[in-house]
């Protein structure tokens, strides 16, 4: 059962391999989404300062019916925080907003402020080192149990490692059929950094791909189920986003295995070039 599958991070902390993403779930609705997910068996909930729903996440955690220690809650330092002081203060704000005594994992949301993603060559190397120091200090203080990054390329990770005393435990990246950062995944694994895949159905674009649909039909599963299983078989932690209990349920019905032959076909699906309204997200291998 996928809910029992965990990944052991480099510091020994266990993280459930399937989580619930909460991007675009508003603060008024997210507490109920957390409650429904936990009822179904989810124990890993992913949020971010930028999502504006941390308060609702906290309500959901308190009212979901399982002990706090049974849950794994991730949040992210907003991409605009690029100094030690602002990052450290934001971590304290997240704890207060969610009403939690600790956060299981805190990660840097992006190496660049959002308004510069795909628009600038500035990777904010020195600034990200400052933010990382704030995360290391929060870890040492017991405010968080694990720390990591998101949307970081190899050069961004290497920059942190030059001065870090704790290496990132996770790199959360856009990873799905038709946009899989194979070289980045290999580099993270070589460094002992877990890869976490967000938007496994390509912001919905995977639903439009006939090759993906054909293979999903072969296994008698939905496109979403195939996409989530694909990421799991790559060895990633996966956080599909939904507020709908029925989708939460089917997203976790993954008791099938994609054959090596079909995995090879899925890995070869041509890269997606346009996410529509989500087009500012990275297509790895091209300019970010």
């Amino acid at each position: 059962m996928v809910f029992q599958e965990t990944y052991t991070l480099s510091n020994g902390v266990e993280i459930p391999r399937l989580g619930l993403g909460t991007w675009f779930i508003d603060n008024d609705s997210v507490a109920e989404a957390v409650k429904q997910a936990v009822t179904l068996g989810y124990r890993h909930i992913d949020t971010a300062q930028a999502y504006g729903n941390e308060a609702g996440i906290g309500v959901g955690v308190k009212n979901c019916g399982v002990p706090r220690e049974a849950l794994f809650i991730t949040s992210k330092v907003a991409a605009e925080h690029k100094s030690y002081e602002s990052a450290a203060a934001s971590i304290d704000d997240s704890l207060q907003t969610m009403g939690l005594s600790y956060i299981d994992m805190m990660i840097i949301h992006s190496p660049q402020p959002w308004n510069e993603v795909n628009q600038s060559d500035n990777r904010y190397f020195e600034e990200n080192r400052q933010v990382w120091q704030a995360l290391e200090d929060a870890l040492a203080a017991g405010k968080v149990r694990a720390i990591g990054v998101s949307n970081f390329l190899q050069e961004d990770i290497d920059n942190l490692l030059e001065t870090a005393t704790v290496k990132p435990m996770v790199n959360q990246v856009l990873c799905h059929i038709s946009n899989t950062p194979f070289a980045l995944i290999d580099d993270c694994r070589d460094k002992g950094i877990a890869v976490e895949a967000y938007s496994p159905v390509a912001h919905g674009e995977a639903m439009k791909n006939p090759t993906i649909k054909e293979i999903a039909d072969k296994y008698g599963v939905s496109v979403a189920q195939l996409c989530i299983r694909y990421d799991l078989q790559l060895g990633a932690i996966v956080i599909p986003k939904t507020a709908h209990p029925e989708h939460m349920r089917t997203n976790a019905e993954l008791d099938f295995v994609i054959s090596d032959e079909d995995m090879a076909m899925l890995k070869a699906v041509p890269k997606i070039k346009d996410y529509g309204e989500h087009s500012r997200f990275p297509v790895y291998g091209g300019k970010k």
Side-chain angles (χ1 to χ4, degrees):
M1 183 68 176
V2 70
F3 290 132
Q4 276 71 58
E5 295 182 20
T6 61
Y7 185 102
T8 302
L9 301 176
S10 59
N11 67 338
V13 169
E14 290 192 1
I15 179 173
R17 289 196 64 205
L18 182 68
L20 177 72
T22 64
W23 183 38
F24 278 147
I25 305 178
D26 64 53
N27 198 54
D28 293 334
S29 304
V30 77
E32 181 61 22
V34 170
K35 181 179 177 181
Q36 294 288 342
V38 170
T39 298
L40 288 166
Y42 287 81
R43 295 294 182 265
H44 177 182
I45 309 295
D46 180 275
T47 185
Q49 294 168 359
Y51 298 172
N53 62 12
E54 286 183 322
I57 293 287
V59 173
V61 168
K62 288 182 177 65
N63 298 329
C64 69
V66 304
R68 166 68 185 95
E69 59 269 20
L71 300 175
F72 193 100
I73 309 300
T74 297
S75 193
K76 309 175 190 73
V77 174
E80 289 68 34
H81 292 302
K82 291 302 176 197
S83 71
Y84 177 92
E85 293 77 14
S86 65
S90 80
I91 296 167
D92 290 339
D93 287 346
S94 287
L95 285 163
Q96 182 175 4
T97 299
M98 287 192 277
L100 301 179
S101 60
Y102 67 92
I103 297 168
D104 293 277
M105 185 163 67
M106 201 82 188
I107 62 183
I108 304 174
H109 207 158
S110 169
Q112 299 173 296
W114 286 123
N115 64 357
E116 293 190 36
V117 172
N118 294 336
Q119 308 297 315
S120 169
D121 291 327
N122 184 357
R123 303 304 297 181
Y124 287 81
F125 285 151
E126 178 54 37
E127 293 85 351
N128 285 316
R129 288 179 179 182
Q130 291 187 36
V131 178
W132 188 251
Q133 184 62 58
L135 285 172
E136 287 193 2
D137 289 350
L139 179 68
K143 296 176 181 180
V144 300
R145 298 176 63 225
I147 54 178
V149 296
S150 180
N151 298 301
F152 271 50
L153 303 180
Q154 180 176 344
E155 63 183 317
D156 303 311
I157 295 171
D158 289 342
N159 168 65
L160 292 186
L161 293 178
E162 288 182 12
T163 56
T165 59
V166 178
K167 69 181 177 182
M169 294 154 196
V170 160
N171 188 12
Q172 187 182 114
V173 298
L174 182 66
C175 177
H176 58 76
I177 301 164
S178 78
N179 186 3
T180 304
F182 295 109
L184 182 60
I185 290 172
D186 289 343
D187 182 67
C188 286
R189 284 184 179 148
D190 289 344
K191 292 180 168 75
I193 299 170
V195 173
E196 193 169 21
Y198 69 78
S199 299
V201 294
H203 307 301
E205 292 299 313
M207 307 293 184
K208 306 172 185 177
N209 188 291
T211 300
I212 300 173
K213 179 66 167 62
E214 181 180 350
I215 295 177
D217 289 345
K218 173 181 175 179
Y219 289 91
V221 299
S222 69
V223 167
Q225 288 169 317
L226 184 79
C227 289
I228 296 166
R229 170 51 67 186
Y230 169 86
D231 278 342
L232 288 172
Q233 287 186 213
L234 291 177
I237 300 155
V238 192
I239 47 169
K241 177 199 75 69
T242 182
H244 302 289
E246 180 60 19
H247 292 166
M248 295 177 194
R249 182 185 65 79
T250 57
N251 284 349
E253 292 177 346
L254 302 169
D255 294 331
F256 66 100
V257 176
I258 305 170
S259 71
D260 291 344
E261 179 183 10
D262 289 334
M263 281 293 290
M265 289 180 62
L266 292 170
K267 289 176 181 179
V269 171
K271 282 187 178 294
I272 194 167
K273 292 183 172 58
D274 184 11
Y275 292 100
E277 64 178 313
H278 303 300
S279 60
R280 287 176 66 84
F281 283 86
V283 178
Y284 295 100
K287 181 177 172 60
K288 183 181 176 187

